[in-house]
Amino acid sequence: THDVAHQFFKLIVKQARDAGLMSAEHFTVDGTLIQAWASLKSFKKKGAKDSEPPDDPGNPTVNFRGEKRSNETHESTTDPESKLARKGDGKESKLSYSQHALMENRNGLLVDLRLEEAHGFAEPLTAIEMLEDNLPGAARITVAGDKGYDSEAFVSACRQRNITPHVAQNTSRRSSRIDERTTRHAGYAISQRIRKRVEEIFGWTKTIGNFRRTRFKNQQRTRLASYFVG
């Protein structure tokens, strides 16, 4: 039932591809967080029962001081499929889902869009899945990405699939998995410039598309909404 949105999305992609508007060689991957329709007050210890009735059933007072909370020990009573996540260091943690985009680099159009559980390895794992499902053939392609994709697992997975990883180098307290054999080519610099267009996609979905936060509970319905916005 909910897959109708995915089928509709694929037909729109096919229109662009049939019109010759989509690159078959150069792509970009990226991910973002979509806030779940659940507040942090609903994030409670699994199996715990309230010992006394709330002071305000509609908006109860909750004291989190001194309590260590994680996805392993806690879950939302409003939307148990959402996960506590944050986009980066210093950012506020929120109950979220992860949204992932595969963009072609010619016109910055979406090729694939996924909405998955939010966890630390969601971006590279989902990126590989999208690339496997959308590879145009045996010809070599390039895929751009930010520093989050500069990992041994993602780079190796790309090269095993005849994909040249044009991801940004992450040299913070470590060595990059991308060396001069890749960065010396002019195509790498072009990919690094064009990949930023994927942020326009997420920017549109969160502002014009009003999808910074979902209006639905559970992953299946939120995924449906994600495809329609995409």
Side-chain angles (χ1 to χ4, degrees):
T1 301
H2 294 83
D3 195 50
V4 64
H6 185 207
Q7 297 302 319
F8 182 64
F9 176 83
K10 288 167 65 175
L11 286 172
I12 300 299
V13 173
K14 185 176 183 300
Q15 282 188 331
R17 184 175 280 126
D18 290 347
L21 299 175
M22 306 187 81
S23 171
E25 301 174 288
H26 307 293
F27 302 89
T28 294
V29 290
D30 201 5
T32 191
L33 292 178
I34 302 299
Q35 190 175 349
W37 191 253
S39 72
L40 286 175
K41 291 183 178 181
S42 73
F43 196 59
K44 300 179 180 180
K45 188 168 291 187
K46 295 178 181 179
K49 295 182 179 180
D50 293 331
S51 56
E52 56 186 44
D55 56 342
D56 180 356
N59 189 18
T61 301
V62 180
N63 184 7
F64 298 127
R65 182 168 295 179
E67 181 182 359
K68 186 177 181 180
R69 298 179 297 165
S70 71
N71 291 314
E72 287 71 33
T73 58
H74 291 62
E75 68 179 6
S76 169
T77 55
T78 304
D79 185 357
E81 295 183 33
S82 63
K83 300 297 180 184
L84 194 65
R86 60 181 180 178
K87 189 60 179 172
D89 294 339
K91 301 290 186 179
E92 181 184 0
S93 295
K94 297 178 180 179
L95 290 167
S96 308
Y97 289 99
S98 61
Q99 187 185 51
H100 309 269
L102 174 64
M103 180 192 78
E104 59 79 39
N105 287 1
R106 180 182 297 165
N107 288 310
L109 300 178
L110 277 170
V111 179
D112 200 351
L113 188 66
R114 306 279 172 103
L115 188 124
E116 306 293 343
E117 181 183 287
H119 58 78
F121 302 99
E123 288 194 12
L125 291 176
T126 306
I128 290 298
E129 291 176 1
M130 291 192 295
L131 290 167
E132 284 185 336
D133 292 344
N134 293 278
L135 287 178
R140 178 170 290 277
I141 66 173
T142 68
V143 59
D146 60 26
K147 292 181 180 180
Y149 295 92
D150 185 7
S151 68
E152 181 65 35
F154 181 76
V155 171
S156 296
C158 284
R159 287 172 174 158
Q160 290 169 9
R161 292 163 175 79
N162 203 30
I163 301 170
T164 301
H166 281 181
V167 301
Q169 291 180 297
N170 184 1
T171 56
S172 177
R173 299 188 299 274
R174 45 160 285 186
S175 58
S176 173
R177 272 59 178 177
I178 305 298
D179 56 31
E180 191 178 351
R181 290 175 297 176
T182 300
T183 60
R184 65 187 173 90
H185 294 286
Y188 177 82
I190 295 172
S191 291
Q192 284 300 298
R193 185 177 75 251
I194 298 298
R195 73 172 176 84
K196 297 173 184 178
R197 288 182 180 175
V198 75
E199 297 296 344
E200 298 175 17
I201 292 173
F202 291 138
W204 191 97
T205 62
K206 291 185 177 184
T207 54
I208 309 302
N210 199 27
F211 201 59
R212 188 178 302 278
R213 184 178 188 180
T214 181
R215 297 300 187 268
F216 299 91
K217 298 175 185 177
N218 80 43
Q219 185 171 323
Q220 195 175 38
R221 291 178 178 176
T222 301
R223 181 180 289 126
L224 176 142
S226 177
Y227 277 125
F228 278 134
V229 173

